[in-house]
Amino acid sequence: MKGDNMNQASNGVGKYAVPPEIRALKPKDISCLVKKIDGHYYVYEHLRVNDPNRPGKKKNATGRYLGTIVDGEYIPYGQESKSITDEDPDNLDYGPYGIALACSQELLPSLKKAFRNTKDATTIYVIAIIYFVNHYVPARDLRELYTQSVLCKKFTTVNLSENAAGDFIKALGNHSRKRLTFEQQLINEGSGKYNIDGHVLLCCSVDNELADYGAKYQQLGNTQTNFMMVYDAKKKRGVACVAFEGGISDKTEVTDVIESHTFMKARFRVDSGFYSETNMDLFRRNECIFTIPVPATTILRKTALRHMEFDSSFIHQRNDSHGKVVYSSVQYKEYLLGDLEKKAEADAIADAKKKEEEYLRSLPEGQKPTKRFTPRKVDKSKYGSDRVIIFKDQLMHDKLAFNYRKNIGDGKHTEEEFERLDPQFGVILLRTNDPNTTPEEVYVEYKERWGIETYYNYVRNGLDLNGLHTQDYYVQQGIGFLTLVEGQIYSEVLKKIEDATIPYIKNMSVEECIRVAGRLKLAQRPDNTWHQNSMKGKVNELFTYFGVDIEQTISDLNKSSKYTPGM
């Protein structure tokens, strides 16, 4: 059998045999042999060495690896070329990355200050830029986008392989103190005017500790998780973000957000979902001011609507959904919280007396009453000096009334229900502990709360963060923080666009800016020099406005590729 295999090998027909035409391709200037391994042909040096088992005799031995034979060609070791699918690209995406880098020059130093580790800070910064340019990206896709962009040349120490990126995001979520340090820096540098709200995300991973059935089940049809954001209304950026369980209400989770940060003399604007006497304590700490709508289900609001009357008004100016300036008459009346609670108590007594009188009239003559009517208890706040102001925005009333009436007859909207709801359309009851601002200022400031809704609209549609499928609590916290950091870049780019005087730029959205800037690419020529592609003048104007120094970037790339002019 052994002899048969040797004959097959010599004839070039065995399993490990090397055909004569392949052996003919090996180098002629050195003694060598060709080995067939896993269907590929490799060339090794052929040696004659002393045989320790046969003194004075020589034996054949395999020496150093010399190269390989591929497609009828001998390729010496060190001159092999990777497949283009395995090589790093020499055409790089640059435009939107250049804008992100130019607009966020203070962000990386701020991250380094908080994390005390240059590599960690740089990795966070790079992922945030990738999020900004490409929307939310799962860990498995980060490396591909990194190596396709100029980031791989500018930040060479960053490792974004799938395992490394996933482990880093999890570690980021597992180290809250450093994240909180960065967020506190943003708060300390902030305007002091903050909107707080939760953002619901679809999260149907069974093993995720944050996935639960929540308030948005009807819309999502599955479990959810929540992000809560503290948003700087003046600087138009988030300053804190935490992921929390989908079944927990905003009014409960806000305690953790406020207590884990320090706010001094801040002004909070929150929606009615945060209304509770416990949170009234929370929002007024450290001389902070709050404005919050009183929920429709409370006795306080029902009392205000029952006695709805207005004694003053102002004209409110705002932009509609198309950016057009519109004006509306806003009527209002102000109460002290304690006085409105007294009205509620008086109403409760009057209602109980009325029910009792109706009951007594309904009894047959001579029958003794068996029921007692006790006034409904009104739970009083210890902050009776808080202001409560009822507003009616006429433009909002007309809009809501029109939208309701046009649907009458669809089975859900009726004339009877319209008559009941019409007095409430455009009405809002705001509570504040601010003793000094005018009712108009209270109303206008609260309306600015919609800035966080605009930002969340970007998170949903611009960042494309509508759902998460991660199964890990800490990964989700890490993603939340990276979203916050990305928001710093988005905010700076948005402000730069809003400040533009060039119509072509000022009329852009951030998403359009990214798309147009994406036309700028960098390419490396055979002599190792880097060059940009040609673009229209308007696109070049965009980069000039944002301060993107294309020539300096190309110069830096040429230096790193060891290019010397004239050589």
Side-chain angles (χ1 to χ4, degrees):
M1 189 70 176
K2 185 176 179 180
D4 291 341
N5 286 338
M6 290 181 65
N7 289 333
Q8 288 178 354
S10 63
N11 293 324
V13 294
K15 181 179 180 181
Y16 300 102
V18 178
E21 61 271 20
I22 297 297
R23 293 200 302 270
L25 297 171
K26 67 182 181 179
K28 303 296 190 292
D29 58 347
I30 186 172
S31 179
C32 57
L33 53 90
V34 182
K35 290 188 175 184
K36 183 179 181 182
I37 303 174
D38 295 332
H40 301 282
Y41 299 107
Y42 301 95
V43 180
Y44 294 89
E45 184 180 17
H46 176 249
L47 303 176
R48 293 287 292 170
V49 298
N50 293 327
D51 187 346
N53 297 321
R54 300 168 61 199
K57 300 291 185 179
K58 299 283 188 178
K59 69 172 185 175
N60 294 326
T62 300
R64 57 194 172 89
Y65 170 64
L66 298 177
T68 184
I69 295 175
V70 180
D71 296 332
E73 180 183 4
Y74 168 66
I75 303 174
Y77 172 64
Q79 297 182 25
E80 303 96 330
S81 176
K82 293 181 180 179
S83 165
I84 59 173
T85 58
D86 298 323
E87 288 182 336
D88 289 337
D90 49 27
N91 281 264
L92 299 177
D93 294 329
Y94 177 56
Y97 294 95
I99 287 177
L101 290 165
C103 289
S104 61
Q105 294 181 17
E106 297 179 4
L107 180 54
L108 182 55
S110 183
L111 286 166
K112 289 179 179 178
K113 181 180 177 182
F115 282 81
R116 304 289 182 88
N117 182 294
T118 298
K119 186 175 181 180
D120 287 348
T122 303
T123 301
I124 294 168
Y125 182 56
V126 167
I127 295 175
I129 291 177
I130 292 173
Y131 278 11
F132 171 74
V133 174
N134 303 280
H135 311 320
Y136 166 70
V137 178
R140 66 177 180 271
D141 297 328
L142 285 170
R143 185 181 183 279
E144 179 182 354
L145 294 167
Y146 166 73
T147 56
Q148 184 59 66
S149 76
V150 73
L151 299 177
C152 71
K153 300 296 183 182
K154 188 173 181 63
F155 304 104
T156 57
T157 61
V158 172
N159 181 5
L160 290 181
S161 66
E162 181 174 352
N163 289 338
D167 290 345
F168 179 81
I169 294 173
K170 182 175 182 177
L172 181 61
N174 203 14
H175 289 78
S176 61
R177 284 185 298 177
K178 292 184 177 181
R179 290 186 281 116
L180 292 175
T181 297
F182 176 75
E183 293 175 353
Q184 190 63 51
Q185 288 175 187
L186 295 176
I187 293 168
N188 294 344
E189 300 164 358
S191 69
K193 295 183 177 181
Y194 300 111
N195 305 336
I196 307 176
D197 204 358
H199 176 54
V200 172
L201 296 171
L202 172 68
C203 185
C204 48
S205 297
V206 177
D207 297 328
N208 193 324
E209 296 158 320
L210 296 177
D212 199 0
Y213 293 100
K216 296 288 186 179
Y217 172 71
Q218 293 296 329
Q219 293 95 317
L220 299 176
N222 212 314
T223 52
Q224 69 183 57
T225 187
N226 301 329
F227 280 164
M228 182 167 289
M229 182 79 71
V230 181
Y231 180 81
D232 189 320
K234 189 172 182 179
K235 292 199 169 186
K236 297 182 179 180
R237 68 183 189 185
V239 296
C241 181
V242 61
F244 63 99
E245 185 180 332
I248 299 177
S249 66
D250 286 351
K251 73 169 63 176
T252 301
E253 182 58 28
V254 72
T255 302
D256 179 54
V257 176
I258 298 295
E259 290 187 342
S260 58
H261 302 83
T262 301
F263 295 91
M264 301 296 296
K265 297 182 178 180
R267 301 182 71 88
F268 296 119
R269 286 79 65 89
V270 297
D271 69 20
S272 59
F274 293 88
Y275 195 92
S276 73
E277 286 304 309
T278 299
N279 288 342
M280 299 304 109
D281 290 330
L282 189 69
F283 292 143
R284 68 180 79 233
R285 290 182 183 178
N286 300 323
E287 301 179 65
C288 291
I289 298 293
F290 67 83
T291 300
I292 185 171
V294 179
T297 55
T298 61
I299 293 178
L300 210 60
R301 178 177 165 88
K302 291 176 181 177
T303 301
L305 289 172
R306 183 172 183 172
H307 298 278
M308 189 164 56
E309 55 182 344
F310 305 102
D311 53 19
S312 302
S313 66
F314 58 85
I315 300 299
H316 178 50
Q317 174 184 326
R318 61 177 178 269
N319 294 329
D320 65 12
S321 58
H322 302 290
K324 181 182 177 181
V325 177
V326 295
Y327 301 89
S328 179
S329 173
V330 179
Q331 298 173 287
Y332 68 89
K333 182 175 179 60
E334 179 173 341
Y335 302 91
L336 289 178
L337 177 62
D339 291 341
L340 196 56
E341 288 173 338
K342 289 178 182 177
K343 279 184 175 289
E345 284 186 320
D347 287 346
I349 293 171
D351 290 343
K353 186 177 180 179
K354 182 179 179 181
K355 289 180 180 178
E356 183 179 30
E357 291 173 349
E358 290 175 349
Y359 169 66
L360 291 175
R361 284 197 300 267
S362 68
L363 290 175
E365 186 175 350
Q367 182 176 330
K368 293 183 178 181
T370 58
K371 293 183 180 180
R372 297 181 60 187
F373 293 86
T374 303
R376 182 178 179 180
K377 182 180 178 181
V378 176
D379 293 324
K380 291 187 176 181
S381 170
K382 60 184 176 182
Y383 301 111
S385 61
D386 281 358
R387 300 162 67 195
V388 182
I389 311 170
I390 185 168
F391 298 92
K392 182 172 184 177
D393 187 316
Q394 192 61 45
L395 190 64
M396 184 60 66
H397 167 273
D398 295 345
K399 180 179 179 180
L400 292 172
F402 172 79
N403 287 338
Y404 189 97
R405 289 198 66 88
K406 73 179 183 180
N407 290 310
I408 289 178
D410 65 358
K412 296 180 180 179
H413 300 77
T414 65
E415 284 285 357
E416 293 77 12
E417 186 68 3
F418 174 77
E419 293 298 325
R420 186 185 72 82
L421 293 175
D422 182 59
Q424 303 178 37
F425 288 147
V427 173
I428 185 171
L429 187 68
L430 296 179
R431 175 177 173 179
T432 181
N433 65 329
D434 187 340
N436 300 316
T437 55
T438 66
E440 181 177 359
E441 289 170 334
V442 170
Y443 186 77
V444 171
E445 186 177 47
Y446 176 73
K447 284 296 182 178
E448 291 176 354
R449 189 193 71 82
W450 284 99
I452 194 169
E453 299 294 346
T454 302
Y455 177 72
Y456 276 147
N457 181 61
Y458 162 72
V459 172
R460 281 189 298 271
N461 301 310
L463 194 56
D464 199 23
L465 193 57
N466 293 301
L468 291 172
H469 300 281
T470 174
Q471 296 187 349
D472 192 281
Y473 173 93
Y474 298 108
V475 169
Q476 201 147 314
Q477 296 291 357
I479 291 171
F481 182 73
L482 289 166
T483 301
L484 175 74
V485 178
E486 183 276 341
Q488 311 305 301
I489 303 171
Y490 169 80
S491 172
E492 293 303 318
V493 174
L494 177 61
K495 282 189 284 187
K496 190 75 174 174
I497 292 174
E498 291 177 339
D499 292 342
T501 57
I502 305 169
Y504 163 66
I505 297 173
K506 190 172 184 64
N507 295 328
M508 278 185 168
S509 65
V510 173
E511 292 77 11
E512 184 182 4
C513 178
I514 292 172
R515 186 171 64 253
V516 173
R519 299 173 188 174
L520 175 55
K521 312 290 184 184
L522 299 180
Q524 191 176 32
R525 292 178 179 169
D527 64 357
N528 285 336
T529 61
W530 288 87
H531 300 267
Q532 74 170 89
N533 60 324
S534 299
M535 295 177 302
K536 293 190 297 185
K538 274 194 172 183
V539 181
N540 282 314
E541 187 178 37
L542 178 70
F543 295 111
T544 300
Y545 173 73
F546 276 98
V548 179
D549 195 336
I550 303 172
E551 291 184 2
Q552 184 60 53
T553 299
I554 291 175
S555 175
D556 292 342
L557 287 173
N558 284 334
K559 289 176 183 177
S560 66
S561 61
K562 297 182 174 59
Y563 164 69
T564 303
M567 293 185 64

